[in-house]
Amino acid sequence: MLEVTDIKYIRKEVNEKGCSYSDVARRTNTDVRTVKKYADQETFRPSDKT
């Protein structure tokens, strides 16, 4: 599972900076499908689970 900071980074890189899913996946050592999943979410609400 990704940390909240990782998800925020993914969303910023893809949605604000316009980086590709594959580029962000390489930089974060994450599967491209995971990057796409988090980048394409309408809203992101971190859960309170620990």
Side-chain angles (χ1 to χ4, degrees):
M1 180 181 285
L2 294 176
E3 298 289 325
V4 172
T5 54
D6 296 328
I7 296 168
K8 287 181 179 179
Y9 176 79
I10 288 168
R11 292 177 55 83
K12 182 176 182 178
E13 292 296 299
V14 173
N15 297 328
E16 293 178 21
K17 294 185 177 180
C19 297
S20 69
Y21 298 134
S22 59
D23 185 39
V24 176
R26 254 191 312 277
R27 286 189 270 147
T28 59
N29 197 27
T30 308
D31 190 270
V32 71
R33 292 172 291 187
T34 303
V35 171
K36 182 175 179 356
K37 171 186 164 184
Y38 287 113
D40 291 348
Q41 284 181 337
E42 276 299 312
T43 58
F44 172 64
R45 296 185 192 128
S47 66
D48 292 332
K49 296 179 184 176
T50 55

